[in-house]
Amino acid sequence: MQSRFKLSHLSLAIVAASLSPCTLFAADVVDAEVDALSATAEPADAIKLKDAVVTAKQELKQAPGVSIITAEDIKKRPPANDLSDVIRREPGVNLTGNSTSGSRGNNRQIDLRGMGPENTLILIDGRPSSSRNAVRYGWTGDRDTRGETNWVPAEEVERIEILRGPAAARYGSGAMGGVVNIITKRPTEQLRGSVTLYAIQPEDDAEGAGQRANFNLSGALNDSLAFRLYGGANKTNADDADINAERQVGADTLVAGREGVRNKDISGLLSWQLNPDHSLDLEATYSRQGNIYAGDTMLNGGGAFVNQLYGKETNIIQRSSYALTHNGEYDWGSSTASLAYDYTRNERLNEGLAGGGEGAPAEGAGVFMSRLRNTRANAEVNLPLEMGAPQVLTLGGEYLYESLNDPGSLRAQTWDPGVGGVPAVPGFDRSQTKTTAHSFALFAEDNIELGARTIVTPGLRYDDHEEFGGNWSPSLNASHKLTDELTLKGGIARAYKTPNLYQSNPNYLLYSMGFGCNAAEANAGGCYLIGNPDLEPETSINKEIGLAFDKGTWRTSATYFRNDYKNKIVSSNDAAFRLSNGRRVQNWENSGKAVVEGVEGNLFVTLSPTLEWNTNFTYMIESEDKDSGEPLSIIPEYTVNTSLDWAATEKLSLQVSGTYYGTQESPSYNARRNVAIDSQAQKDIDPYGLMGISAGYAFNEQYSVRMGINNLFDKRIYREGNATEAGANTYNEAGRAYFASVTASF
């Protein structure tokens, strides 16, 4: 666990990157070849990668569980701040916490097919974004984080690709639920620029208003060199401290509303066309996210110190990312390779790690900074072949080195084992605050055309982790045209996720004075939860099968999916052993089996040359832990998203959109204490709907505006507490709000 970054690790990274001929480095950027599913609003002169043969990666974008959000989609209904507001309207997508505890209820992140946020891999231009891993992992599996979907300003997105199910298996650890790939705009051949101003004002002044400003500038510096520069700043205010006061369960608790955020982003890209067949990209990005504190303390415990922090920045996350990318075309095929470095600094007021102060800013504990460094190299080659059938074989490799240093979460405490007469835990050492890990992967995929109507895409990935050994991830995806209009598609794949650097660290320790321990056991002196280096990776067998019907002016699809999930890592409520003073020592452990099962569908209809109707739905048949019968996360029984787009004139466009959520069932079991949740606290969220309208007007090619209303009928959900007190009522759904944006471009 304590291996250090030496020359041998760097050598491995260079070897992985050098799999691409005639290059040293490159980035695993999602191919920008022509994709039938992704018509974007990118300028016509945008510099793109060369069109090439259809690779396995491209073919997997045609799988049943794939959605694509274009720049035009985002423009019609822009998010207030975070791209999750846009992504949540796709089939199979929800916003949830990483557990059913509700302890960080308003910190909801992208959850694909009910597998949880940490089983959803977020990519930015094909590279994993994992800054949330720098945030302390809590007892119930929650983090005080906004996730990974707020690092790119909405106006700088070319498209967002969402891969659910077997299509995501090729991306390795962390993609059991699926993958969200946020693809930024490429440089243009001609000098172009734009500035966008956006503001949103809630009708209820207790809810936080927001503003943002973004700019983009790109063009050619000479015949072979082009650049892109974008930046932005935005601010979303926190909800009032007492927004939930009338509905919170406990009169003496502080149930916080939505936290605010201050964002600053700057990104630069140089693209060098070495010759007609080879290009080299150099990219550097810096983002700063500072919170505007709303009073969230995880256990809803306030106090004078916490109250005085309202409206201040209590944590700041800074993300720096650098990547060097090569793409090449050859007589025998194509290649891409990369070397990327991500550095995340997570500076925050230290939180309490025990008792009633757990998860709350601790007075006198100071400010500490955790540092997460990821060095990643990858490469792949695509080989068109004729071996019995036309096919494109993809071979690739990846290398990852992770380093996490978090002195705040591993700082010495007065109640630590081995301190003040408390017996020691063997091997426990608070002085070791750094954890490292390195891993590598090899993969192969083949896109095979078995006649004019059938395509088969087998794949195999092997991952090797220095602590958790090797893992094989086979996959098979296929499509067959039953008729010219009707296509049968399906897939099956094995996916996995390694333990995170907190779960596996034997020096990461949390403490409960007794109330947070197993209620069925004697809790003399409370209990410890300690990291476990002997964990096994989580695994899932993902299956889906679907039909797609395309009539030209209308198309529809339906997909059945099932994930058989095992070895989910949870905090144990059973003692591994007891210290001589009676305190219990618990570990993170692998639980039993779970099942996620459901149906997704879509209907798109061109009602007239100027009017389009688009609807999708998700129905969850099952999502539960088979040992406890509890849900893996609190998600709606079903979700329906619909939109009607009208191009009234060449300059005027209008959209009406709506989402309807089915019942969200309360958990019934408190796994941490091993007791049933009181029946009076098991409160479901009844079905509810949200509707929005917007209108856009382009005065000319340089100036355009968009205005609209979110949550037209002002449907509100108020947070009442954590799940043990409020069932599923653990988050705020904002009420009616008015927004406007203006864009000036040249």
Side-chain angles (χ1 to χ4, degrees), residues 62-66 113 164-167 476-480 482 486-493 541-549 556-563 596-602 617 621:
Q62 316 299 325
V66 174
R113 290 182 172 176
R164 304 175 292 278
L476 179 64
N477 291 269
S479 68
H480 177 71
L482 301 172
L486 183 64
T487 303
L488 175 66
K489 300 179 179 182
I492 183 170
I541 304 297
N542 297 355
K543 301 170 285 291
E544 68 181 13
I545 187 168
L547 285 169
F549 187 82
T556 186
S557 65
T559 302
Y560 166 82
F561 63 87
R562 177 182 170 109
N563 295 352
V596 176
E597 185 181 18
V599 179
E600 298 169 353
N602 185 80
F617 75 91
I621 301 171

Side-chain angles (χ1 to χ4, degrees), residues 47 51 74 77 126 134 153 180 249 262 294 303 340 371 443 462 480 493 499 542 561 563 571 575 607 627 630 663:
I47 296 175
D51 293 346
I74 299 172
R77 193 178 171 187
V180 175
V249 175
R262 294 183 179 92
R371 292 176 170 86
F443 60 87
Y462 176 75
H480 177 71
N542 297 355
F561 63 87
N563 295 352
S571 56
L607 300 173
D627 289 341
E630 289 296 293
T663 302

Side-chain angles (χ1 to χ4, degrees), residues 491-513:
I492 183 170
R494 185 180 188 270
Y496 92 115
K497 179 179 179 296
T498 57
N500 65 51
L501 295 180
Y502 290 99
Q503 294 168 330
S504 61
N505 187 349
N507 302 314
Y508 179 54
L509 179 145
L510 300 172
Y511 173 59
S512 173
M513 298 176 183

Side-chain angles (χ1 to χ4, degrees), residues 82-90 92-99 104-114 116-117 120 122 146-149 180 258 633-636 639 659 661 664 685 688 690 728 730-734:
D82 198 310
L83 288 171
S84 63
D85 289 345
V86 176
I87 301 168
R88 71 181 294 190
R89 297 194 290 269
E90 296 301 310
V93 181
N94 292 285
L95 297 182
T96 72
N98 198 52
S99 76
R104 299 289 189 187
N106 279 314
N107 276 349
R108 299 193 296 162
Q109 304 172 54
I110 295 296
D111 179 346
L112 296 183
R113 290 182 172 176
T120 299
I122 307 297
R146 291 172 289 275
E148 307 292 333
T149 52
V180 175
R258 299 171 302 155
S633 56
I634 300 176
I635 58 176
T639 304
T659 300
Y661 300 104
Q664 297 177 63
I685 296 180
Y688 70 95
L690 305 173
T730 60
Y731 67 92
N732 287 79
E733 189 76 74

